[in-house]
Amino acid sequence: MSQALSLPRPREWPPVLPVLAVLVLLGLPVSPAGESGAGPADAVSALVVLYCAIRLVRDRRRPLSRTAAVVLGLPVLGLAVAAMGASSPGAGITGMGRYLQIFVLVPAAVLLLVRGRSDFRLLAWSFVALALWQGAIGVHQYVTGTGASYQGEEIRAVGTFGPTDVMGMATVVSFGLVCALGLALGRTPVRQRAVAACCALALLLPLALSFSRGAWIATAATCAVQLVLAGLRRALKVAAVAVAAGVVLVGGFGVGTAMLQERIDSITQVTDAPDQSVTDRYTMWAAAVGMWREQPLTGVGLKGFPDYRDGHASLALSSGSDTEGAGAAYRKQPLLSPHNMYLLVLAEQGLIGLLALAGSWLALLVCGLRGLWWARGGSGAGLDCALVACGLLIWQLIDFAYADIGGPSTVLTAVVFGVVAWWALVGGGDRSTTRVSAAPVQELAEKAVTR
């Protein structure tokens, strides 16, 4: 009896537990220190990298395959060039450290710590759990009027991230919804798929109450792609369930408020009658393009966008965005980035940096989709992992057209790229369980010949 109830020894614990600690810390309310937005989760992510390095030295393992080293190390080229062109050594070192954390070091550590599909699924369910937690807080903020300020009312769901990172909860909930949908579309036991489907439906409400147009667009497009990749018949079934859930939410619970409807309508009015936030975004996009034209190959240097912004932006740019609510006082938040990752990299790192970084992402996408094709064509083992990984990467690539890195939730992007990298470079290339083994057939054939 005592043996049956005994806990596993520390050596038997999955090595991805430090990564789970990062997700747990993202569920706690934090006050970002300084302008970088770094918090406790960022500090733990550094410990994850150190822990991974210690395991590699102790086990005398080869760190990465040649392909993985090239794909994950490709952004270093553009970062090194842009760091040398920064306005100061401090800005270059700080900016390069942040990019290395998000796109190189933490993803590589996550890739090396994931041992197999069970660890991958553990991380996927952790994303779902974090999303449910943040989503529950966001719904409570909307119902009680304790969220971030939106059109004069404190109803915007932001979770524990506060009004200075309004995209934080929307990002977490979107990741959780994409993971839940991927798990539901896999070929795992029916009970697990049913739970995942229920979680995906439950996350629709906090995503709507985040009032984040970029997250809505990225999530809708990603879920549509996941459904198509999973198969047309299943796509039609899930689409019918989603429509029914939307009817219940809007008609039965009154989620379709006037503000929400107005926010949805504003998506189609970004060119005809844009609001001030859209005007600011267009103005900063134009400023980023102007910076790139001055230094097309190398950009203006890491952390250089705020210094060159006023010299390239028109008078339509406001002084900043107003933030308040969710327990924080009124504050004028300066606009220090173009809210477009591709244009930010183009402005600060030039064509060299953009091609290196985007080339790494494109390689991950191609390898991930190739692994998904193998998973669909075989026994179906790992299909849920493939849909989760490809969905997360597609969501991130779409969202980068409306957002960039920054804030406490940014470290979650690093974990996402690590999860995607494992499937694209390791898990998706293991075809031993994605196709029916030919060994039994060969053995029977040999016996027939001997007879």
Side-chain angles (χ1 to χ4, degrees), residues 145-163:
T146 56
S149 178
Y150 179 77
Q151 294 187 359
E153 298 185 36
E154 296 184 354
I155 58 172
R156 188 168 190 175
V158 293
T160 63
F161 295 101

Side-chain angles (χ1 to χ4, degrees), residues 52-425:
C52 180
I54 293 174
R55 283 181 59 91
L56 291 176
V57 173
R58 186 192 66 185
D59 299 339
R60 298 180 181 179
R61 292 173 50 195
R62 182 180 177 181
L64 293 170
S65 66
R66 184 177 302 176
T67 303
V70 171
V71 172
L72 292 179
L74 192 59
V76 178
L77 174 63
L79 290 174
V81 175
M84 291 187 294
S87 59
S88 66
I93 294 174
T94 303
M96 187 170 184
R98 187 62 161 167
Y99 274 94
L100 288 177
Q101 174 203 9
I102 303 304
F103 299 115
V104 180
L105 296 178
V106 174
V110 174
L111 182 153
L112 292 168
L113 292 176
V114 175
R115 296 175 302 181
R117 290 169 184 160
S118 59
D119 287 351
F120 184 99
R121 293 186 179 102
L122 177 60
L123 287 177
W125 279 109
S126 300
F127 274 100
V128 176
L130 177 62
L132 290 172
W133 167 251
Q134 290 286 357
I137 296 176
V139 172
H140 179 267
Q141 290 171 336
Y142 176 84
V143 173
T144 59
T146 56
S149 178
Y150 179 77
Q151 294 187 359
E153 298 185 36
E154 296 184 354
I155 58 172
R156 188 168 190 175
V158 293
T160 63
F161 295 101
T164 58
D165 187 15
V166 293
M167 281 293 296
M169 191 212 75
T171 300
V172 171
V173 171
S174 298
F175 284 153
L177 199 156
V178 170
C179 288
L181 183 58
L183 293 168
L185 294 174
R187 298 177 185 175
T188 52
V190 177
R191 181 176 299 179
Q192 295 183 22
R193 284 182 284 160
V195 173
C198 292
C199 292
L201 292 175
L203 290 173
L204 290 174
L205 179 58
L207 179 63
L209 300 180
S210 68
F211 293 99
S212 175
R213 292 170 293 197
W216 292 348
I217 296 172
T219 304
T222 301
C223 291
V225 172
Q226 283 181 301
L227 292 172
V228 172
L229 292 176
L232 184 58
R233 181 179 299 179
R234 304 180 71 187
L236 294 176
K237 292 180 180 179
V238 176
V241 174
V243 171
V247 172
V248 172
L249 288 175
V250 175
F253 296 100
V255 175
T257 61
M259 287 186 179
L260 184 58
Q261 185 63 45
E262 180 182 351
R263 190 69 166 175
I264 295 174
D265 294 339
S266 67
I267 296 177
T268 60
Q269 300 171 355
V270 293
T271 56
D272 298 333
D275 55 30
Q276 185 59 47
S277 64
V278 175
T279 300
D280 288 339
R281 186 161 300 186
Y282 285 164
T283 304
M284 290 188 293
W285 288 2
V289 173
M291 297 177 200
W292 166 69
R293 288 175 176 171
E294 286 188 0
Q295 300 288 339
L297 288 180
T298 60
V300 298
L302 295 179
K303 296 284 186 177
F305 183 86
D307 298 332
Y308 290 84
R309 182 199 64 184
D310 293 339
H312 294 83
S314 66
L315 296 177
L317 183 66
S318 65
S319 59
S321 58
D322 299 333
T323 62
E324 95 180 286
Y330 173 81
R331 177 188 174 189
K332 198 78 169 180
Q333 189 173 7
L335 304 174
L336 303 178
S337 70
H339 295 289
N340 182 304
M341 191 64 197
Y342 305 106
L343 291 179
L344 176 63
V345 174
L346 190 65
E348 295 186 345
Q349 303 180 38
L351 281 175
I352 296 176
L354 181 61
L355 291 177
L357 200 58
S360 175
W361 299 339
L362 181 60
L364 290 176
L365 181 61
V366 170
C367 293
L369 291 174
R370 182 183 60 180
L372 187 146
W373 179 263
W374 287 338
R376 282 194 58 184
S379 62
L383 180 60
D384 56 335
C385 299
L387 291 172
V388 168
C390 294
L392 288 174
L393 182 56
I394 291 171
W395 188 95
Q396 192 64 77
L397 296 181
I398 296 175
D399 184 71
F400 273 162
Y402 308 94
D404 48 47
I405 58 174
S409 60
T410 300
V411 68
L412 191 63
T413 301
V415 178
V416 164
F417 274 105
V419 169
V420 171
W422 180 85
W423 171 257
L425 302 173

